[in-house]
């Protein structure tokens, strides 16, 4: 615990008992395979720099016991974590007016996995964010998030005053995938469905989505499901009627109208 007064590298297994401070002008580097176990009152405050390039041997940030620890907070500093696993924090990583890169990491079992607030130049790429109460919160931020998998959280992503990039991510299988300011137009991501009524989104508007998780997913223009507002039984009845009529029209070689009815069948069950 305590204040780090000069550039330093940490390696091996370490127990963190209180707040570790990295002041402006100082960089803390973590060696590949380093493991930091945090006691409940412990946290990492970075006003300078925090770096790790350890994709082959990810750096570990874990709780020393069953209670949550304080997480990593970057206040106006610079972060460059490539290859890390973080779990068990109240807020895993909080970037406030910060810049840098988070890449190739996992954030699990936190209250809030990732919180980015204020303007900076933060880039978040290829993270796995899961099993958190809130996966990622972006508040008045211009951060860029691409190719991340945000799944199995209570709330996947929460946006407030967001002006950055949220594109080509897989945001699915969350209790609620995304909550945003009302009327916010969202960029193309994979939501687990192409039915606008099944995207689990509050506030945001989606006109295009990916049909599969990135990078394989292709861009698809969404259409409103014919089943919107119908009960499951009424939807099945609609699909059966459209299928019968489409088959009849096809047999009569009325292919244009048959195509329209078959598209209705597909739209009820994408």
């Amino acid at each position: 615990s305590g204040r780090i007064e000069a550039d330093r590298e940490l390696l091996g297994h370490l127990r963190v008992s209180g707040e570790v401070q990295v002041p402006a002008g100082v960089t803390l580097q973590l060696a590949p395979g380093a493991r930091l176990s945090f006691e409940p009152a412990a946290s990492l405050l970075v006003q300078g720099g925090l770096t790790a390039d350890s994709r082959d041997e990810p750096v570990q940030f874990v709780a020393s016991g069953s209670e949550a620890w304080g997480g990593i907070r970057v206040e106006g500093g610079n972060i460059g974590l490539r290859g890390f696993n973080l779990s068990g924090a109240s807020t895993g990583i909080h970037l406030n007016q910060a810049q840098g890169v988070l890449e190739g990491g996992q954030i699990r079992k936190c209250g809030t996995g990732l919180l980015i607030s204020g303007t900076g130049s933060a880039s978040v790429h290829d993270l796995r964010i899961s099993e958190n109460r809130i996966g990622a919160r972006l508040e008045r931020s211009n951060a860029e998030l691409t190719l991340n998998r945000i799944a199995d959280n209570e709330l996947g992503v929460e946006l407030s005053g967001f002006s950055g990039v949220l594109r080509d991510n897989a945001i699915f299988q969350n209790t609620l995938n995304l909550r945003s300011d009302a009327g916010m137009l969202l960029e193309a991501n994979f939501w687990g469905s192409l039915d606008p009524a099944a995207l689990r989104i509050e506030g945001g508007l989606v006109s295009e989505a990916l049909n599969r998780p990135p990078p394989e997913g292709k861009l698809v223009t969404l259409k409103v499901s014919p089943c919107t507002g119908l009960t499951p039984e009424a939807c099945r009845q609609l699909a059966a009627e459209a299928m019968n009529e489409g088959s009849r029209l096809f047999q009569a070689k009325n292919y244009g109208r048959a195509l329209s009815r078959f598209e209705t069948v597909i739209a009820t069950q994408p």
Side-chain angles (χ1 to χ4, degrees):
S1 66
R3 181 182 174 96
I4 296 176
E5 299 293 350
D7 291 354
R8 183 175 176 183
E9 181 181 28
L10 297 180
L11 65 161
H13 293 191
L14 302 101
R15 179 179 292 270
V16 184
S17 60
E19 183 178 75
V20 173
Q21 303 169 12
V22 184
V26 174
T27 296
L28 176 63
Q29 181 174 352
L30 304 175
R35 179 182 176 89
L36 280 67
S37 298
F38 291 81
E39 295 183 1
S43 62
L44 181 56
L45 172 62
V46 180
Q47 295 167 318
L50 175 65
T51 64
D53 193 352
S54 51
R55 277 186 173 272
D56 294 334
E57 293 183 78
V59 172
Q60 309 284 332
F61 304 96
V62 300
S64 62
S66 59
E67 294 185 53
W69 56 287
I72 299 171
R73 190 166 78 255
V74 183
E75 295 280 353
N78 188 294
I79 192 167
L81 292 183
R82 293 176 172 86
F84 67 93
N85 295 327
L86 185 151
S87 63
S90 52
T91 297
I93 299 178
H94 180 187
L95 306 181
N96 182 37
Q97 305 282 357
Q99 59 183 342
V101 175
L102 297 174
E103 184 174 323
Q106 295 188 33
I107 302 177
R108 301 173 57 245
K109 297 184 177 180
C110 298
T112 297
L114 175 64
L115 170 58
I116 304 179
S117 57
T119 57
S121 56
S123 175
V124 180
H125 179 78
D126 191 27
L127 296 193
R128 301 293 182 264
I129 302 177
S130 63
E131 301 176 75
N132 306 285
R133 189 174 63 83
I134 300 176
R137 288 176 57 197
L138 310 173
E139 300 178 346
R140 301 176 304 282
S141 168
N142 63 347
E144 178 176 317
L145 287 82
T146 58
L147 296 178
N148 302 288
R149 179 186 174 96
I150 304 174
D152 302 312
N153 305 280
E154 292 183 28
L155 172 58
V157 178
E158 186 171 45
L159 305 177
S160 176
F162 181 65
S163 60
V165 174
L166 182 69
R167 183 182 64 241
D168 296 333
N169 302 283
I171 307 172
F172 69 115
Q173 293 180 352
N174 304 285
T175 304
L176 181 64
N177 283 329
L178 183 141
R179 178 188 293 135
S180 73
D181 301 326
M184 180 178 181
L185 183 61
L186 302 173
E187 296 177 272
N189 297 278
F190 174 72
W191 305 100
S193 175
L194 295 178
D195 179 359
L199 301 186
R200 303 182 189 178
I201 290 174
E202 287 185 0
L205 303 176
V206 177
S207 61
E208 296 180 327
L210 301 179
N211 63 353
R212 295 179 63 188
E216 294 84 7
K218 305 298 183 183
L219 193 64
V220 174
T221 299
L222 299 190
K223 297 180 180 180
V224 177
S225 171
C227 291
T228 300
L230 300 181
T231 64
E233 179 59 34
C235 182
R236 286 192 291 270
Q237 180 65 28
L238 174 64
E241 292 173 355
M243 187 68 186
N244 290 336
E245 185 180 0
S247 299
R248 179 181 60 79
L249 291 166
F250 185 85
Q251 292 296 326
K253 298 185 179 180
N254 190 339
Y255 300 126
R257 291 184 61 197
L259 174 63
S260 175
R261 302 310 292 152
F262 290 146
E263 286 179 337
T264 296
V265 177
I266 293 172
T268 63
Q269 296 177 323

